[in-house]
Amino acid sequence: MTQKVHIIGGGLAGSEAAWQLARRGFQVRISEMRGTGEGTPAHQTDGLAELVCSNSFRSDDDEKNAVGLLHHEMRACDSLIMGAAKVAAVPAGSALAVDRDAFSAEVEKRLSALDNVEIVRERVDQLPTEGTTIVATGPLTAEALAGSIGAATGADSLAFFDAIAPIVYRDSIDMDICWMASRWDKPSKVGGGTKDYINCPMTKEQYIAFHQGLVDGEKTVFKDWEANTPYFDGCMPIEVMAERGVETLRFGPMKPVGLDNPHWATPEHPNGRWPYAVVQLRQDNKLGTLWNMVGFQTKLKHAEQVRLFRTIPGLENAEFARLGGLHRNTFLNSPVLLDRQLRLKTAPHVRFAGQITGCEGYVESSAVGLMAGLMTAAELTGRTWQAPPATTAMGALLSHITGDAEAESFQPMNVNFGLFPPLHEVSKKQRKEAYTARAKEEFGPWIAGLTPAN
């Protein structure tokens, strides 16, 4: 096919949209700013689909979990992101986590192997006035292009802060204090092991002191334009959570339930006891040399992070491959600005995809990119686009972004069963399984009607 689609942004969504289009025979040009000598406050490489916040795609359970169901649906659509994740997977219990560098390299390798995909390292400052375009520049859209988008929408974009967790070198962790285990000994979907997390135990006294250190610690000073920007609950800095109450962390990222500390074994409790609180680290690369502090996104200053995090038992001599950080995350008020096919109402030749649409999370961003690619392919071949049923994970996410959410209170959203049409007749205990069963039943006929990739 001779039609060319211009995709601005080579992140997860842009890469997935390019894959779906190219596999259906369309010419695709990907414009990626990184690689021109310019970067963003969060990215560290020039690679396509770089993961900046975490290396986890979250739960891979497609029987009881909404994001696991989204994985399942994307795989059925020959998703580039899911395919690359399989190649780059590292052990993470029932979650899907990847080696960041291997994942990015696999995405770029697969796209570069397609003759009808052109990857250009260039900065785009203005929305194109013509030509089929997908904007997938993500939450860190460059200032000039963000201004052009603002002018085209006639409305101010919304924004919140997104924080990044530190990464620790494995050989600097004291395993005489820490231990390996998954919560409730739940087996991993990669390798089948039950010891995928490093756990750092805390007594009550240690936890109280650590909590106070988070509250008192020196934080990044905001600029004037940043001062009133809200956080997204799914990626909230740990010190902000701490400010909500002394017990908040023990019911969040530091919950100790299901984790018996073998170092605390006694004749009465041969398997050990639960600590008062636990800091967990998850493998961040295939070699197992880097470990991510789970839920420890932070805006603490770097020196303060090193001082405070080395008070965690087992991390007294921790060496950090990366410290936590903070960046601004910008997104559209999509229910107002976009139509049901992700097209800008004031310029319908332009589609948006990924986190800039107001979805949250790697998988959700990729899924919206996937759908943007399918929508564009349908449009260019003169076919009527049929959206996935709202009872599916993809359909529920798309419906939320493109009109079902309250426009006045629209905020970034992870996929969850609260976005699905309710199942009032099903008991709460059976509801998760019922949602996934219904989704799979209705997803099958929808995907059977798609134009297959070559």
Side-chain angles (χ1 to χ4, degrees):
M1 298 181 183
T2 58
Q3 297 99 324
K4 178 173 282 191
V5 180
H6 186 191
I7 297 178
I8 305 175
L12 292 159
S15 296
E16 184 68 65
W19 175 260
Q20 295 295 330
L21 284 159
R23 295 274 287 164
R24 287 166 173 79
F26 295 97
Q27 296 290 325
V28 178
R29 177 189 180 96
I30 301 174
S31 295
E32 171 53 51
M33 178 182 72
R34 289 175 298 117
T36 64
E38 297 190 48
T40 75
H43 289 86
Q44 296 185 344
T45 76
D46 296 338
L48 299 184
E50 180 188 343
L51 306 181
V52 298
C53 185
S54 164
N55 71 321
S56 176
F57 289 88
R58 312 197 316 280
S59 175
D60 204 32
D61 179 1
D62 63 359
E63 299 295 332
K64 296 182 181 180
N65 189 283
V67 74
L69 177 63
L70 190 56
H71 292 180
H72 170 82
E73 293 176 3
M74 291 174 66
R75 289 181 179 119
C77 295
D78 182 34
S79 164
L80 168 66
I81 298 306
M82 287 293 104
K86 181 178 180 179
V87 172
V90 298
S94 59
L96 173 61
V98 300
D99 179 307
R100 298 165 191 266
D101 293 336
F103 171 77
S104 175
E106 183 66 17
V107 169
E108 190 150 348
K109 171 185 158 186
R110 293 189 181 198
L111 285 173
S112 298
L114 299 175
D115 292 338
N116 53 339
V117 174
E118 180 186 15
I119 302 170
V120 183
R121 303 294 178 163
E122 61 182 357
R123 192 183 75 192
V124 177
D125 290 340
Q126 298 289 324
L127 281 180
T129 57
E130 60 183 4
T132 304
T133 304
I134 297 175
V135 179
T137 46
L140 300 174
T141 300
E143 185 176 351
L145 182 57
S148 177
I149 293 170
T153 60
D156 292 334
S157 293
L158 304 177
F160 65 97
F161 285 117
D162 202 3
I164 300 171
I167 294 176
V168 180
Y169 287 104
R170 170 66 173 79
D171 59 8
S172 71
I173 301 171
D174 187 348
M175 296 307 294
D176 289 334
I177 295 174
C178 305
W179 81 102
M180 300 285 298
S182 297
R183 200 177 304 279
W184 303 113
D185 291 327
K186 194 169 183 180
S188 170
K189 286 206 170 185
V190 177
T194 60
K195 300 182 184 298
D196 291 340
Y197 290 82
I198 293 176
N199 300 279
C200 306
M202 282 188 177
T203 64
K204 182 175 181 179
E205 292 73 20
Q206 289 168 332
Y207 173 77
I208 295 298
F210 180 74
H211 175 271
Q212 193 62 48
L214 287 172
V215 173
D216 295 340
E218 190 177 5
K219 283 87 172 177
T220 301
V221 178
F222 293 148
K223 299 175 183 177
D224 291 342
W225 58 268
E226 298 172 322
N228 297 317
T229 304
Y231 295 107
F232 170 57
D233 283 346
C235 207
M236 182 171 291
I238 191 164
E239 63 276 4
V240 175
M241 284 188 277
E243 291 168 356
R244 295 185 170 186
V246 70
E247 292 292 288
T248 302
L249 297 175
R250 293 185 64 241
F251 290 89
M254 296 180 68
K255 63 184 176 184
V257 298
L259 293 167
D260 295 319
N261 182 358
H263 298 310
W264 293 357
T266 64
E268 184 181 1
H269 301 284
N271 295 325
R273 303 297 303 274
W274 293 356
Y276 189 77
V278 169
V279 175
Q280 287 196 305
L281 294 94
R282 179 181 57 234
Q283 186 174 333
D284 200 78
N285 65 344
K286 280 198 169 183
L287 294 175
T289 55
L290 301 177
W291 289 70
N292 189 297
M293 296 180 69
V294 178
F296 266 62
Q297 300 89 349
T298 182
K299 61 172 183 169
L300 289 169
K301 288 194 171 182
H302 282 183
E304 192 75 345
Q305 290 181 48
V306 173
R307 183 196 67 78
L308 183 59
F309 294 160
R310 283 181 177 166
T311 68
I312 297 170
L315 300 186
E316 292 88 348
N317 298 307
E319 296 294 334
F320 297 91
R322 183 189 74 187
L323 290 164
L326 190 70
H327 61 267
R328 190 170 186 249
N329 190 338
T330 303
F331 61 96
L332 296 171
N333 190 350
S334 294
V336 172
L337 301 174
L338 305 183
D339 68 12
R340 290 288 184 173
Q341 293 193 39
L342 299 170
R343 293 175 296 207
L344 190 59
K345 292 177 181 177
T346 57
H349 66 286
V350 176
R351 273 189 174 84
F352 285 84
Q355 283 187 258
I356 197 169
T357 66
C359 64
E360 177 62 26
Y362 294 148
V363 184
E364 291 86 343
S365 177
S366 305
V368 175
L370 189 156
M371 288 185 281
L374 296 179
M375 291 169 181
T376 304
E379 183 176 288
L380 292 176
T381 53
R383 292 183 292 107
T384 301
W385 160 255
Q386 295 292 334
T391 52
T392 66
M394 285 172 53
L397 184 63
L398 180 64
S399 295
H400 175 80
I401 291 170
T402 59
D404 288 358
E406 289 290 339
E408 291 185 4
S409 59
F410 184 62
Q411 285 286 317
M413 181 67 71
N414 293 121
V415 67
N416 63 82
F417 289 127
L419 302 182
F420 290 53
L423 286 167
H424 297 299
E425 69 281 6
V426 178
S427 70
K428 287 185 178 180
K429 289 185 177 181
Q430 298 175 320
R431 200 159 288 168
K432 292 179 179 178
E433 294 92 332
Y435 276 123
T436 56
R438 181 178 67 175
K440 290 176 182 179
E441 180 181 351
E442 298 197 12
F443 189 77
W446 175 79
I447 195 170
L450 285 180
T451 299
N454 295 330

